[in-house]
Amino acid sequence: MSIKKFGTYKTPNVEPITTDLDWWHPVEGSPTMRTWIEYQSEDGNFLSGFWEATPGTYKVKYEVDEFIHLFEGRVVLTDKGKEPQTFVAGDTFLIEAGFDGTWKTEETVRKTLAMRKR
């Protein structure tokens, strides 16, 4: 067993990925994102780090479980056929694999994340 120390969400230890993630497709506005992968398991099935997005809406379909803690911002998540849910700075939540809907960033978001492939 080992312990991995990350940077902070304001000063990550790694360079960001500055392109949209493959399963995120802009549908409203001109959102941008940056992703810092601070840790990835050897088999690639678990990763964690930080993420930032500017206002706009993405169509997303989750094939992973993602645990999230928002440090800054406001988002509205709408799973297909369900009521929108709003999350703000300080909220912690889980998006399960199978979520198929929209992620609307209303205020620039900064979050920490842990993802697990199913």
Side-chain angles (χ1 to χ4, degrees):
M1 179 170 83
S2 63
I3 297 173
K4 306 289 184 192
K5 181 164 181 356
F6 294 178
T8 69
Y9 77 100
K10 291 185 179 180
T11 56
N13 285 333
V14 296
E15 291 299 313
I17 299 164
T18 57
T19 56
D20 290 347
L21 300 174
D22 291 343
W23 37 294
W24 290 67
H25 307 283
V27 294
E28 181 180 287
S30 299
T32 63
M33 67 172 66
R34 296 190 302 167
T35 308
W36 294 264
I37 305 300
E38 292 269 348
Y39 172 80
Q40 185 167 350
S41 63
E42 287 184 27
D43 64 6
N45 289 330
F46 180 81
L47 61 85
S48 54
F50 304 104
W51 187 80
E52 174 184 87
T54 59
T57 303
Y58 286 98
K59 170 80 173 100
V60 296
K61 184 170 184 178
Y62 272 70
E63 295 180 7
V64 298
D65 295 322
E66 181 179 12
F67 178 83
I68 296 168
H69 177 77
L70 291 182
F71 289 103
E72 297 178 10
R74 177 185 174 92
V75 300
V76 177
L77 304 182
T78 307
D79 200 357
K80 193 181 287 182
K82 298 188 178 165
E83 291 296 313
Q85 295 185 55
T86 300
F87 299 94
V88 297
D91 286 345
T92 303
F93 55 98
L94 175 74
I95 300 174
E96 292 183 301
F99 175 94
D100 184 3
T102 58
W103 173 294
K104 180 179 184 179
T105 301
E106 293 186 333
E107 298 171 6
T108 296
V109 168
R110 291 179 180 89
K111 70 180 185 180
T112 188
L113 62 95
M115 288 185 187
R116 176 187 62 153
K117 291 183 184 175
R118 284 198 176 186

